[in-house]
Amino acid sequence: MPIASDPGAGAAPDPVPEFAAWRKGVAGVLAKARRVEIADLPAEPERLLDETTYNGLTIAPLYTRRDELPEQPLPGAYPFVRGRDAARDVHRGWFVGARIAERDAAQANRDLMTGLENGISAVWLTVGEQGVPVDGLPTALSGLLFELAPLSITAGSAATAAAAQVFAVLDGYQAPARADIRVSLGAAPLTSRFAGTADIGVPEAAALATQAVARTETVRAITVDGTVFHDAGASDAQELGAAVAAGLAYLRTLTEGLDIADALGQLEFRFAATDDQFATIAKFRAARQLWARVAHVCGAPAFGGAPQHAVTSAAMMTQRDPWVNLLRTTLAAFGAGVGGADVVTVLPFDSALPAGELGVSKAFAERMARNTQLLLLEESHLGFVQDPGAGSWYVEDYTAELAARAWAFMQELEAAGGYLAALESGLLAERIATTKAARDADVAHRKTAVTGVNEFPNLAEQPLSAAARAQDPEAAAERDHAGARERRQLSTAARRPGSVARYGAAFEALRDRSDAYLATHGTRPKALLVPLGSVAEHNVRVTFIANLLASGGIESVNPGPLEVGGIAAAATESGAPIAVLCGADARYAAEAGAAVAQLRAAGVATVLLAGAAKAVAELSEAQRPDGFLAARIDAVAALSGLLEKVGA
């Protein structure tokens, strides 16, 4: 099929005259790479470079003036895509949040004050079983200047009692402008129900909202916590769609006693920010558009600008090579800030591990989390411009498409009877579990990279403690269900309350098995690399295999280029029960059969080949290796099988 040509006579001029030349260049490169004629490519060859996200969105390789959308209104105006606050202080930017989860009220107060003195500007306090006792709230909040630092609490089933304590503190607090005091009571019964964590009921949350409306401060009673969907494996569209559906359910209850404006004023949203910076930018912009649309349909478009609290993704965090989490959270904070979140909380880089696991102090980890945001604001000056992504053809298109997908998911939940009905029927969990399975498969096949885990792992790092392994129920589930099919059938409903489906859990479970083997045998499981031919012939595959094996905790022994006659000696010297032939396909055709025979004669139990089976298709069954390690295999299943063979 010929490549699409320029518009003919009489057609509107192409807004990007250079596009045809670019397309021709793309066709040339693709034809060469695929070893086909240009005429054999589609009419729009650039479509072969498209990528599809877990939201079902298509990401094009290039965005141009052809993709231009109408300009959105300025910040502070419906539909709030560009921001909910027209007069946000550009010198402050977003609020720098920090979560304080300390059981001792006095220590919580010290942490709070230390944070405020060193850069945070918003406080997120855990209250109840996982944090400050309810009756310790006055002590924990002592000295807080409420009009300068917004306060959010998460109290679960103690939300009503905690709210009463907060109101008592506020009643005794002197402030000239009470409306400048912003407090979120954090009641989240609907999203907590999905997560399986304790919370008050919806009627109690509605009663709290009625009390909040009567206050002279700016108090919001309910948090729609989208992070619980994200932590379970949801796509961005599913997280946003489910959050909007939950928000609608709250509105239906709240408007039984409040007018729509007051009801809308009682909700705030919390979403996860990931290291996919453009997806995160679009996510927060799309979330505002979605909720503004709800407010518009309810007849109160001016009240559709609900506050957004961004929290860096717990699912993207790794236990292995956790220092990389510093980079992940930097990108996440960048995306959330550029996307217009009101408050951003960066989780400490070691949050997937027990306290003290890395030998660093809690204060150090919290300082790194705090300074991540301060660098973005104070040195990179990201807060100086509101919605800097506006006008980007890519960002605008991504925002619009993501909003459409999220709205469609919300409509699916509504068609099923609404949020609660979709939750109780299992529909919501089923949809999210499907996305999680797709992501797990991509990670397992190393199509999606998790740096330090399934790519570029560090086998020299210290093994995790038993406490760290026990802390991660997802990894425990992977250890209990080593097979690929069982792994992907783990349902969202089967997860522990409040647990997180971390992206790298399956590979980290393999590393746990390697650590256990190391503790028993004094060495890690080993595999001999058998490089055939010159360095130019085997280097790419040697590097690939060493990286692949290390991601499963298997150490590579590389003796350097080997002649067929020296393979048996190298195998005997290494003592490795596994060997992997590494070379070019042409070299395999000439030498693989003899190499396999040498390795088996030397007592190597499992002989593998780096590449596809077609490379040795002409060999007899006796000469063929036992398996093949190629790009895009299910690495988790393959590595798990190898660990089983060596007794790990």
Side-chain angles (χ1 to χ4, degrees):
M1 182 180 294
I3 304 300
S5 59
D6 293 334
D14 192 327
V16 186
E18 307 86 357
F19 191 84
W22 175 80
R23 173 178 279 168
K24 184 177 179 181
V26 169
V29 172
L30 288 174
K32 183 177 180 180
R34 292 167 179 250
R35 299 178 182 178
V36 299
E37 296 297 324
I38 290 180
D40 296 330
L41 295 173
E44 298 180 344
E46 69 275 10
R47 295 276 75 89
L48 297 174
L49 302 176
D50 287 348
E51 293 186 7
T52 302
T53 72
Y54 298 114
N55 305 300
L57 274 65
T58 298
I59 305 299
L62 179 70
Y63 288 82
T64 68
R65 210 170 291 112
R66 290 170 163 225
D67 305 289
E68 193 165 20
L69 296 172
E71 184 177 352
Q72 292 285 352
L74 292 173
Y78 175 87
F80 305 104
V81 174
R82 303 197 59 197
R84 59 180 291 267
D85 186 357
R88 189 173 80 173
D89 183 354
V90 295
H91 297 290
R92 173 182 56 79
W94 62 86
F95 285 100
V96 176
R99 184 166 192 174
I100 297 171
E102 177 61 55
R103 295 177 186 273
D104 179 78
Q107 183 59 51
N109 182 255
R110 287 192 289 271
D111 290 351
L112 183 153
M113 288 302 164
T114 298
L116 291 171
E117 290 166 1
N118 289 279
I120 72 168
S121 51
V123 177
W124 182 14
L125 187 63
T126 302
V127 182
E129 293 183 3
Q130 303 301 317
V132 175
V134 171
D135 59 7
L137 269 172
T139 299
L141 298 176
S142 177
L144 175 62
L145 301 179
F146 289 90
E147 67 272 27
L148 299 181
L151 170 68
S152 296
I153 64 172
T154 294
S157 57
T160 301
Q165 288 281 2
V166 170
F167 291 158
V169 171
L170 291 175
D171 288 341
Y173 183 77
Q174 301 298 317
R178 306 293 295 186
D180 290 341
I181 297 175
R182 284 153 290 187
V183 174
S184 169
L185 301 177
L190 294 181
T191 49
S192 292
R193 185 166 177 178
F194 173 85
T197 54
D199 213 309
I200 61 174
V202 174
E204 287 181 86
L208 269 186
T210 301
Q211 295 179 52
V213 168
R215 301 286 306 184
T216 55
E217 307 88 5
T218 301
V219 181
R220 292 179 185 260
I222 296 173
T223 297
V224 184
D225 189 0
T227 66
V228 300
F229 309 119
H230 172 85
D231 289 347
S235 67
D236 290 339
Q238 289 171 333
E239 180 184 352
L240 297 183
V244 171
L248 279 169
Y250 285 128
L251 282 184
R252 292 186 177 109
T253 298
L254 292 176
T255 50
E256 293 175 3
L258 300 173
D259 64 35
I260 186 60
D262 284 340
L264 288 166
Q266 285 304 301
L267 273 64
E268 71 166 11
F269 289 82
R270 183 177 296 138
F271 297 115
T274 72
D275 53 358
D276 187 336
Q277 62 181 21
F278 286 108
T280 297
I281 292 168
K283 178 180 186 175
F284 284 87
R285 299 174 90 246
R288 291 192 296 274
Q289 181 177 353
L290 291 165
W291 192 245
R293 176 59 177 159
V294 169
H296 184 274
V297 171
C298 292
F303 297 91
Q308 293 178 325
H309 179 188
V311 182
T312 55
S313 165
M316 73 177 179
M317 304 292 263
T318 63
Q319 291 188 330
R320 301 293 176 157
D321 210 355
W323 300 93
V324 180
N325 293 330
L326 288 164
L327 305 178
R328 295 187 177 99
T329 55
T330 299
L331 287 167
F334 175 94
V338 170
D342 298 279
V343 180
V344 178
T345 297
V346 170
L347 298 179
F349 74 97
D350 60 351
S351 59
L353 294 164
E357 178 76 16
L358 299 178
V360 301
S361 67
K362 174 173 172 284
F364 173 82
E366 291 173 348
R367 180 163 61 88
M368 290 297 99
R370 186 169 61 239
N371 286 351
T372 294
Q373 295 197 63
L374 295 178
L375 186 147
L376 294 174
L377 287 167
E378 304 293 338
E379 296 188 33
S380 298
H381 308 300
L382 286 188
F384 276 26
V385 179
Q386 286 215 55
D387 193 28
S392 161
W393 297 308
Y394 177 34
V395 171
E396 296 288 10
D397 183 81
Y398 203 149
T399 300
E401 291 296 321
L402 179 57
R405 293 281 180 172
W407 189 263
F409 186 64
M410 179 275 292
Q411 288 180 312
E412 180 183 2
L413 301 182
E414 285 291 289
Y419 175 84
L420 275 174
L423 179 60
E424 291 170 356
S425 69
L427 173 67
L428 179 56
E430 179 185 339
R431 293 289 185 269
I432 291 175
T434 298
T435 301
K436 178 184 181 296
R439 185 185 289 104
D440 286 348
D442 285 346
V443 173
H445 288 77
R446 301 168 86 217
K447 179 180 178 182
T448 295
V450 183
T451 304
V453 178
N454 71 350
E455 291 284 4
F456 312 110
N458 176 17
L459 271 184
E461 66 181 328
Q462 289 295 314
L464 295 180
S465 66
R469 297 194 300 271
Q471 180 170 300
D472 191 351
E474 287 290 324
E478 301 293 355
R479 287 190 292 272
D480 294 339
H481 300 270
R485 178 177 300 174
E486 290 85 355
R487 185 175 67 255
R488 291 176 195 143
Q489 287 177 343
L490 290 172
S491 70
T492 302
R495 295 164 57 248
R496 287 186 192 172
S499 64
V500 177
R502 292 188 306 102
Y503 303 154
F507 281 93
E508 292 183 333
L510 298 176
R511 295 283 296 277
D512 290 346
R513 291 164 62 183
S514 172
D515 287 349
Y517 185 94
L518 174 64
T520 302
H521 298 83
T523 62
R524 291 198 179 278
K526 291 183 179 180
L528 172 69
L529 304 187
V530 183
L532 301 178
S534 66
V535 172
E537 287 181 88
H538 67 239
N539 187 58
V540 171
R541 278 178 166 158
V542 163
T543 302
F544 166 76
I545 292 299
N547 191 28
L548 171 65
L549 294 175
S551 69
I554 300 173
E555 182 181 343
S556 298
V557 178
N558 184 357
L562 293 172
E563 300 293 336
V564 172
I567 290 176
T572 301
E573 182 179 351
S574 73
I578 300 168
V580 186
L581 302 178
C582 301
D585 285 0
R587 182 71 61 174
Y588 288 155
E591 299 181 8
V596 170
Q598 288 269 330
L599 290 166
R600 286 177 176 156
V604 177
T606 303
V607 180
L608 306 171
L609 182 140
K614 64 182 181 181
V616 291
E618 302 300 319
L619 296 182
S620 68
E621 191 65 30
Q623 293 176 307
R624 288 168 64 84
D626 301 307
F628 303 89
L629 300 177
R632 301 296 185 253
I633 62 169
D634 186 335
V636 171
L639 293 168
S640 180
L642 292 179
L643 289 173
E644 288 176 12
K645 287 180 183 294
V646 300

